[in-house]
Amino acid sequence: MRRKSGIESYQMFRESGISLTPGVGQPLYRQIFDQVAARVSSGVLTPGFRLPPTRVLAEELGVHRNTVVRAFEDLVAAGFLVSVVGRGSFVTSAPLPASISPPPSRPSLPWVSLVSRAASAEPLGRADALAGPAPSGNPVNLSRMEPAGELLPHELLRRCLDHVLRDRAASALGYSPREGLPRLRELIAAELSRSGVPAEVDDVLVTTGSQQALDLVARALIDPGDPFLVEESTYSGAINLFAVAGARVVGVPSDGDGPDPAALERHDRSRAKGFYMMPNCGNPTGACVSAERRHALVAWSRRAGVPLIEDDYGADLNLDGVPPPPALKALDSEVIYLGTFSKKLIPALRVGFLVCPKALRRQLVPLKHAMDLGTSVLLQHALCEFLERGYMRAHLAKVLPEYRARRDALAAGLSEGLPDGVEWTPPARGLVLWLQLPEGSDPGAVCEEASRRGVLVTPGAIYSPTGRSRPSLRLAFCGEPPERIAVGAQRLCRAIDAAAGRGRGSGSTRAPAIDVL
Amino acid sequence: MRRKSGIESYQMFRESGISLTPGVGQPLYRQIFDQVAARVSSGVLTPGFRLPPTRVLAEELGVHRNTVVRAFEDLVAAGFLVSVVGRGSFVTSAPLPASISPPPSRPSLPWVSLVSRAASAEPLGRADALAGPAPSGNPVNLSRMEPAGELLPHELLRRCLDHVLRDRAASALGYSPREGLPRLRELIAAELSRSGVPAEVDDVLVTTGSQQALDLVARALIDPGDPFLVEESTYSGAINLFAVAGARVVGVPSDGDGPDPAALERHDRSRAKGFYMMPNCGNPTGACVSAERRHALVAWSRRAGVPLIEDDYGADLNLDGVPPPPALKALDSEVIYLGTFSKKLIPALRVGFLVCPKALRRQLVPLKHAMDLGTSVLLQHALCEFLERGYMRAHLAKVLPEYRARRDALAAGLSEGLPDGVEWTPPARGLVLWLQLPEGSDPGAVCEEASRRGVLVTPGAIYSPTGRSRPSLRLAFCGEPPERIAVGAQRLCRAIDAAAGRGRGSGSTRAPAIDVL
């Protein structure tokens, strides 16, 4: 390729239209960087193109030469330009594309017989099977248990990430240690200990959200065909994973205090590989297990030889400032305890953790590492920074009154308009409220009617290991402001009335809003 | 709690030592924010503490009142303070800790019988079983296939994250769509199509690194006991996952062109659930499958009813600028194709992807979602930004010459010092070089001797489905600069000589450096 002379290249460069705007907050060298980078990417400046000398360009742009030098240095560092001593700066070469050849058409592979039983597990398909047509308009969404966007601390996280990438640079971008960052494990252990959950640093295993912790536990305990116990109404994402691992998932009924002891006694000899529960604020029920029942549960666990898996996804979401009774993990060190920063902080962090009984560490650590080669160290560092700066405490002080207001708006609306026979209790913790409809009601029909009236709720069946449950609905109150929640509650009450008036009707099992969260 | 008067509170506040430093690049309101936040976090300022009025504080600090107002507004927004009209600004209340009760000691749960076969899979324990004592000093590390820190574009990523969090704010912090962000899937599909791998947007499924894609494929295809084919020497992280899924992992020998067709014919009727391979730059072998053999492989796959899983972890890492032969996926649309940004860009992104045959989409999408509720949208957005700005192309233009220099330094050192009988070929792509030692050599002894002499390499056995292989070593040349690689090569050559001189010796199978990457 013939190199262009300095003057030719300068002409082309000027024609490409670089222009600077002083005083817009973006430093001038950064503006030059961005504009040259964009022209290289779009192909306006082609590989081998020689840029004008920094002195010439600085004069033309009316900036100090050092500004252009700084921009060119950054462009070289980033790989857009190469600099040849005595020759100038050139646009780098692009990698060559491979040849394209169209795929021939042949008979298909026998996928039906190739797919595993795991991937065919029935609960996995429920969300797709139950999902009805997408709702129209801007319905009040009481379906999704995701923290409200307006409550997510994006600016605080931005500061933390910015600091981590400036301060730790490339050391925050490699692979994670198998157990997670020691710094984060220390912070988690300290925070747990402060809140009454005994945890040593060595017991804390960082996971990619608590969902992965749950998957890890399922895979580490379940062989195909093993029984596995869950609450009668429980987190659908857990049902999915236990079913994928091949478990026979068995629901344990609850009374007002928690899982029914008499029902548990029947599982003493069942060789169940675990009992999964959310003692502080059940998803979907919002229920809290009493202190006395917690003691009974850990005693049963040891007697029956069945580990307890305590999912504390809602830790710190104490809406009335009242902490729950002692954690199961505080009563028994062999409990497997799961936590997450998705609900109380930011879902996109994808950081959760597991407090591991010592006897399981040798199995869990390599298995977690095999699953994804470790959780993003960048996000782990950012979370450390967030915790060390005290942002977490501040964030909770901000969101808890807001979630309380949302729960109260929902409770007020329901108190006013719900027909007789619907049972519910305002939850003291967490982000969901559970409605038990009268026997004979059709929750699918209620969901459809509610959607038509502009409010989305989730039918209880999706939280059942069998896919069948007493008629019920889950209402998540975290995702909408109080005013809209009040409107949603009103619409829902009318929908329940209307659906009841029509009797069982079509018995539809399709619901407009299905979410495993 | 008695509220303190303005003057009292101001005294306490002054004693807490807030001080501003103008002109350090950090705006004054940010300095006030950070200092107040730190004092609230450390408990110097306690819940309920009333801060001095903004006017008073502004005078004392010698700043404009608006500066203090801005700081207080941010502190309220972040949850550190609450503001009561007509009363002032107060430190918010901390959530209450739960009561702590020490765990009683009881006989342990029967963990040995509780642990699943998956978690007991033999390959999972290899890294721990083989790992010898940690090497001392600052050895040349040719063991770890992790991009070099000095080549990771932390500043470019910082810009992208900063932009995403300013521009998209909370919308970049929620949960991911099940398939991944549409924007990222489009960018990946477009990039793949440009490089000769046909991919429609709907076929692209974003995963948490390609390791999770591999886990997903393993779980979607393998039932316990199923045969699964791999290359005779293959990625240890894949062996782990296939074993965890319960597969009988079978190695297929290779010749100079790729997997041996005669050996494959013997698996025509074996009902194997898949054949996993890295056609462009095998890990650990660095080998590239010939174009002719690729055609033979896809023909065999359809005939035998065995899907091909093509792991293209090294895509774009063409050290000599020569693209590989057409992808298997380009020859057959039913190939399952995996890619990642960990090797060519940044491991901590934890973003990989899978190009899914249409027939498998219905199974893979819900299974992936069940595994971790979706890959971090924040990191997905940051990667989109990185790709759209053309940073990727620039990054490759920067790192490829550097990796080439590192490979060349290694090859030069080996050419000079290796004893007769050691076979190797400098790889045209990727980041590893494979040494086949003479029959009868003891790679464990070589690794130990090499570690004593200050260079870390990995024994070939860890890349074998059976844990046994012909004597061999993998050398990763990405993690050290060329000068140190030259030194490392020299030390390794001497270690091989020395170990050969001592004969089989102790037959140690422990190696100082074991890494599944």
Side-chain angles (χ1 to χ4, degrees):
Chain A
M1 172 183 338
R2 190 177 71 89
R3 301 288 188 194
K4 294 197 174 56
S5 75
I7 293 186
E8 253 180 285
S9 111
Y10 167 59
Q11 291 291 357
M12 267 189 64
F13 194 68
R14 194 166 54 172
E15 280 155 21
S16 80
I18 300 271
S19 74
L20 305 183
T21 318
V24 292
Q26 177 89 314
L28 295 173
Y29 73 87
R30 182 72 62 80
Q31 295 184 37
I32 299 173
F33 178 101
D34 285 342
Q35 295 189 40
V36 173
R39 280 159 183 76
V40 173
S41 299
S42 65
V44 171
L45 301 179
T46 50
F49 176 82
R50 179 160 70 169
L51 279 88
T54 52
R55 191 185 307 272
V56 175
L57 185 54
E59 264 173 40
E60 169 66 12
L61 295 173
V63 298
H64 195 281
R65 191 184 163 201
N66 286 349
T67 303
V68 179
V69 169
R70 167 74 192 271
F72 276 31
E73 282 172 355
D74 286 0
L75 285 160
V76 169
F80 286 101
L81 305 182
V82 282
S83 184
V84 182
V85 177
R87 298 283 311 281
S89 301
F90 301 89
V91 172
T92 49
S93 307
L96 295 169
S99 61
I100 297 177
S101 93
S105 85
R106 304 187 194 86
S108 177
L109 285 170
W111 291 111
V112 173
S113 59
L114 286 166
V115 167
S116 68
R117 284 186 292 275
S120 320
E122 178 273 330
L124 271 187
R126 278 189 207 168
D128 286 336
L130 292 178
S136 59
N138 178 22
V140 176
N141 194 336
L142 303 183
S143 167
R144 205 164 158 76
M145 187 160 65
E146 178 169 347
E150 65 274 22
L151 298 179
L152 291 177
H154 54 89
E155 173 57 20
L156 295 182
L157 181 66
R158 193 189 64 72
R159 287 186 204 180
C160 293
L161 275 165
D162 193 75
H163 176 81
V164 165
L165 280 168
R166 287 182 195 273
D167 192 48
R168 300 186 176 258
S171 74
L173 296 181
Y175 285 102
S176 175
R178 294 196 303 178
E179 298 85 353
L181 283 185
R183 180 185 175 209
L184 180 58
R185 297 163 68 215
E186 277 168 30
L187 286 163
I188 290 172
E191 183 51 39
L192 286 173
S193 299
R194 262 195 300 279
S195 69
V197 180
E200 290 173 31
V201 175
D202 284 349
D203 302 333
V204 175
L205 179 57
V206 175
T207 56
T208 305
S210 61
Q211 186 73 11
Q212 188 191 47
L214 203 46
D215 195 15
L216 181 58
V217 170
R219 298 172 87 175
L221 296 178
I222 298 168
D223 284 313
D226 282 342
F228 207 87
L229 310 180
V230 300
E231 294 173 274
E232 203 172 26
S233 290
T234 191
Y235 172 46
S236 58
I239 296 172
N240 284 346
L241 290 174
F242 301 145
V244 167
R248 196 159 52 72
V249 187
V250 180
V252 176
S254 287
D255 58 25
D257 280 333
D260 179 8
L264 277 177
E265 296 302 335
R266 289 193 289 276
H267 293 287
D268 267 18
R269 300 274 170 270
S270 70
R271 297 192 157 274
K273 287 298 192 75
F275 179 20
Y276 167 78
M277 46 182 315
M278 295 169 151
N280 292 338
C281 43
N283 174 11
T285 62
C288 178
V289 176
S290 72
E292 201 187 339
R293 187 63 54 86
R294 290 174 192 230
H295 284 278
L297 278 164
V298 299
W300 169 82
S301 159
R302 292 291 184 114
R303 200 167 60 240
V306 179
L308 297 178
I309 295 96
E310 176 174 33
D311 184 344
D312 200 9
Y313 76 98
D316 297 329
L317 296 178
N318 302 319
L319 302 180
D320 301 314
V322 181
L328 297 174
K329 182 70 178 173
L331 304 178
D332 184 347
S333 64
E334 302 232 317
V335 168
I336 301 173
Y337 177 97
L338 317 182
T340 180
F341 293 89
S342 297
K343 302 302 178 195
K344 67 180 173 188
L345 187 52
I346 295 173
L349 281 176
R350 306 314 303 125
V351 178
F353 59 90
L354 183 151
V355 186
C356 181
K358 296 195 193 316
L360 269 187
R361 205 187 295 157
R362 200 168 49 87
Q363 277 83 25
L364 291 188
V365 170
L367 181 53
K368 146 65 184 168
H369 193 243
M371 285 161 72
D372 68 354
L373 297 182
T375 297
S376 169
V377 275
L378 177 59
L379 295 178
Q380 289 187 65
H381 275 300
L383 177 56
C384 288
E385 200 61 31
F386 202 97
L387 296 172
E388 284 175 354
R389 291 180 179 208
Y391 287 175
M392 186 67 189
R393 179 194 166 290
H395 175 68
L396 285 173
K398 177 186 168 187
V399 299
L400 288 179
E402 185 58 35
Y403 286 140
R404 180 165 59 234
R406 292 171 185 213
R407 177 202 58 187
D408 292 347
L410 180 58
L414 295 174
S415 297
E416 209 164 296
L418 271 185
D420 286 345
V422 181
E423 289 174 30
W424 60 287
T425 314
R429 294 171 198 87
L431 306 168
V432 294
L433 187 150
W434 183 240
L435 290 187
Q436 294 192 283
L437 304 176
E439 278 304 334
S441 309
D442 177 352
V446 173
C447 289
E448 277 195 40
E449 180 63 27
S451 173
R452 269 193 294 275
R453 291 170 183 258
V455 58
L456 305 180
V457 297
T458 319
I462 202 164
Y463 308 104
S464 154
T466 61
R468 293 178 306 280
S469 70
R470 291 178 47 197
S472 47
L473 301 173
R474 191 195 74 171
L475 320 182
F477 51 78
C478 48
E480 299 273 8
E483 317 80 67
R484 274 177 58 87
I485 287 183
V487 171
Q490 221 171 34
R491 291 176 181 166
L492 176 63
C493 291
R494 293 195 193 126
I496 292 174
D497 261 341
R502 282 204 308 275
R504 291 210 46 125
S506 68
S508 157
T509 52
R510 288 165 72 81
I514 295 290
D515 205 308
V516 301
L517 294 181
Chain B
M1 170 180 345
R2 190 177 70 91
R3 300 289 188 195
K4 294 198 173 54
S5 75
I7 293 189
E8 254 181 286
S9 112
Y10 167 58
Q11 291 291 356
M12 266 189 65
F13 193 68
R14 194 168 50 172
E15 280 155 21
S16 81
I18 300 271
S19 73
L20 305 183
T21 317
V24 293
Q26 178 90 313
L28 294 174
Y29 74 89
R30 182 72 62 79
Q31 294 184 38
I32 298 172
F33 178 100
D34 286 341
Q35 294 188 41
V36 173
R39 279 159 184 74
V40 172
S41 300
S42 65
V44 171
L45 301 177
T46 51
F49 177 82
R50 179 160 69 170
L51 279 89
T54 53
R55 190 184 308 274
V56 175
L57 185 55
E59 264 174 41
E60 169 67 11
L61 294 174
V63 298
H64 194 280
R65 189 181 164 203
N66 286 350
T67 303
V68 179
V69 169
R70 168 75 191 272
F72 277 30
E73 282 172 357
D74 285 0
L75 286 160
V76 168
F80 286 100
L81 305 181
V82 284
S83 184
V84 183
V85 177
R87 297 282 312 282
S89 300
F90 301 88
V91 173
T92 49
S93 306
L96 295 171
S99 61
I100 295 176
S101 92
S105 87
R106 301 186 196 87
S108 176
L109 285 169
W111 291 111
V112 173
S113 60
L114 287 166
V115 167
S116 69
R117 283 186 292 274
S120 320
E122 179 273 327
L124 271 187
R126 277 189 208 169
D128 286 335
L130 292 179
S136 58
N138 178 23
V140 176
N141 194 336
L142 303 182
S143 166
R144 205 163 158 78
M145 188 159 66
E146 178 170 346
E150 64 273 21
L151 299 178
L152 291 176
H154 55 91
E155 173 58 21
L156 296 181
L157 181 66
R158 193 188 64 73
R159 288 186 203 179
C160 294
L161 276 164
D162 193 75
H163 176 82
V164 164
L165 281 168
R166 286 182 195 275
D167 193 47
R168 300 187 175 257
S171 74
L173 296 182
Y175 286 102
S176 175
R178 294 197 303 178
E179 298 85 351
L181 284 184
R183 179 184 175 212
L184 180 58
R185 296 163 68 214
E186 277 168 30
L187 286 163
I188 290 172
E191 183 51 40
L192 284 173
S193 299
R194 263 196 300 278
S195 68
V197 180
E200 290 172 31
V201 176
D202 284 349
D203 302 333
V204 175
L205 178 57
V206 175
T207 56
T208 305
S210 62
Q211 186 73 10
Q212 189 191 46
L214 203 46
D215 194 17
L216 181 58
V217 171
R219 298 173 85 175
L221 295 178
I222 298 169
D223 284 313
D226 282 343
F228 207 88
L229 309 181
V230 300
E231 294 173 273
E232 203 172 25
S233 290
T234 192
Y235 172 45
S236 58
I239 296 173
N240 284 346
L241 290 172
F242 300 145
V244 166
R248 195 159 50 74
V249 186
V250 180
V252 176
S254 287
D255 59 24
D257 279 334
D260 178 10
L264 278 176
E265 296 302 333
R266 289 193 289 275
H267 293 286
D268 267 17
R269 299 275 171 270
S270 70
R271 297 190 159 278
K273 286 298 191 76
F275 180 19
Y276 166 78
M277 45 183 313
M278 295 169 151
N280 292 338
C281 42
N283 174 10
T285 62
C288 177
V289 177
S290 73
E292 201 186 341
R293 187 64 54 85
R294 290 174 192 231
H295 285 278
L297 278 164
V298 299
W300 169 81
S301 160
R302 292 292 184 115
R303 199 168 61 240
V306 179
L308 297 177
I309 294 96
E310 176 174 33
D311 183 344
D312 201 9
Y313 76 98
D316 296 330
L317 296 178
N318 302 319
L319 302 181
D320 301 313
V322 182
L328 298 173
K329 182 72 178 171
L331 303 178
D332 185 346
S333 64
E334 302 232 319
V335 168
I336 301 173
Y337 177 95
L338 317 183
T340 181
F341 292 90
S342 298
K343 303 300 179 196
K344 68 181 173 188
L345 187 51
I346 294 173
L349 281 175
R350 306 312 304 129
V351 177
F353 57 90
L354 182 152
V355 187
C356 181
K358 295 195 195 316
L360 269 188
R361 206 187 296 156
R362 200 168 48 87
Q363 278 82 25
L364 290 189
V365 170
L367 182 52
K368 147 67 185 167
H369 193 244
M371 285 161 71
D372 69 353
L373 296 182
T375 298
S376 168
V377 275
L378 176 59
L379 295 178
Q380 288 186 64
H381 276 300
L383 177 56
C384 288
E385 199 61 31
F386 202 98
L387 296 172
E388 283 174 355
R389 290 179 179 209
Y391 287 176
M392 185 68 187
R393 177 195 167 288
H395 174 68
L396 285 173
K398 177 185 166 187
V399 298
L400 288 179
E402 185 57 35
Y403 286 140
R404 182 164 57 234
R406 291 171 185 213
R407 177 202 59 187
D408 292 347
L410 180 59
L414 295 174
S415 298
E416 210 165 294
L418 271 184
D420 286 345
V422 181
E423 289 175 29
W424 61 285
T425 314
R429 294 170 198 89
L431 307 169
V432 294
L433 187 150
W434 183 239
L435 291 188
Q436 295 192 283
L437 303 177
E439 277 304 335
S441 311
D442 177 352
V446 172
C447 289
E448 278 195 38
E449 180 63 28
S451 174
R452 270 193 293 275
R453 291 170 183 259
V455 58
L456 304 181
V457 297
T458 319
I462 203 163
Y463 309 104
S464 154
T466 59
R468 291 179 306 278
S469 70
R470 289 177 49 195
S472 47
L473 300 172
R474 190 193 76 171
L475 319 182
F477 51 80
C478 48
E480 300 272 8
E483 316 79 69
R484 274 177 58 84
I485 288 182
V487 172
Q490 220 171 34
R491 291 176 182 167
L492 176 63
C493 292
R494 291 192 196 131
I496 293 174
D497 260 340
R502 281 203 309 275
R504 290 206 50 123
S506 69
S508 156
T509 53
R510 289 164 73 80
I514 296 291
D515 205 309
V516 302
L517 296 179

